[in-house]
Amino acid sequence: YIMSTDLVALFEKGGTFRVDVQGHPPGDDAPVFWGHRFSDMLRDRCRAQRLMNISPSAKRFTYRFVLHFDDNQLTLYIDSSGFSLHKRGYRPSGVTAPLRESLASGLLSTGHAPTQYPFVDPCCGSGTLAIEQAFRALDKYPHINSTFSVERWPAEAFGLKAGFGQAKRELGQLEKNQLDAPILMSDWHPQAISYAEHSIHNAGLSQFLSVEKQRAQKREYPTGCTVVSNLPFGERLGGQHLQLDGFYRAFGEHLKKQQIHRALLYTSHPKAVERLGLGQAKNRWAIPNGKLRAKLYRFDHLSDK
């Protein structure tokens, strides 16, 4: 398909390309061999079509192809985004947060974090969970202001360029201009608060979100709220260690005194439920965070226990 007339439209003005190989090629061939082989084939086809201004480039490229091997099946992809979609673009430069944006969004969806009740993240860190909840509540597409690779392609290539532009316009029209319920966030560490403030600004959510300095085990929670948090697992932003067992006990005892509609707590602590003392979790999901074996726990109507 890509080797047909669409290739002419794709490279009619020249350009550079990169080839990545995923999976395990059959036989003893190394992945790099298949990458070079595809590059040679691509250049030969372009020369046959009198398209000479095309060359491979590993770093600065116009098009990225992916060869994916699955057993004996080979699938060829062309990357239409140009960047990893889990990167929303709102985190401050150089900040490595413990929770990917896409993982945070998945936790909220998996645990059914409602948008019609007040939302509180008492250990907000760089603010990822609260920001992703705001996106959900406002029907705001995270990449509405991003520029995808396909938007730099020639208009004729695969007929996708116009479709992307139209999709962005339609998604923008669906956005809400106010939250159904407040989204609150707090942390105790000054560096985490600074990161969160920058993330909120970069996400364009300053009119909806702000971050407070409060301890999770002491703050007050609105009646009927949803508490969602990526609980500390030893190392927090700022490099300060926490006494985990004491924190979990104090946090759990404090939550039991509140009128909580739902709590979604994500942690890699192996004895989190026992230390929190909130009773049996209504649901639990094993959702790894990179190499960490973490779980998402859901507790409903904590004040009734």
Side-chain angles (χ1 to χ4, degrees), residues 36 56 69 92 106 110 131 135 144 171 173 188 238 272 298:
H36 289 319
F69 288 92
T110 300
I131 290 173
F135 285 156
I144 193 71
L171 288 169
Q173 294 170 358
W188 184 248
R298 171 176 158 180

Side-chain angles (χ1 to χ4, degrees), residues 26-46:
D28 298 326
D29 295 330
V32 66
F33 166 79
W34 285 89
H36 289 319
R37 186 174 181 181
F38 177 79
S39 296
D40 292 342
M41 180 180 64
L42 189 60
R43 283 183 292 177
D44 290 344
R45 183 58 61 92
C46 286

Side-chain angles (χ1 to χ4, degrees), residues 81-100:
S81 62
F83 57 91
S84 297
L85 292 177
H86 79 269
K87 297 179 180 179
R88 315 293 204 206
Y90 56 73
R91 282 182 176 163
S93 178
V95 173
T96 303
L99 199 65
R100 281 189 173 189

Side-chain angles (χ1 to χ4, degrees), residues 245-256:
D245 285 356
F247 168 80
Y248 275 67
R249 289 192 181 96
F251 182 55
E253 285 298 320
H254 186 61
L255 285 185
K256 286 189 290 186

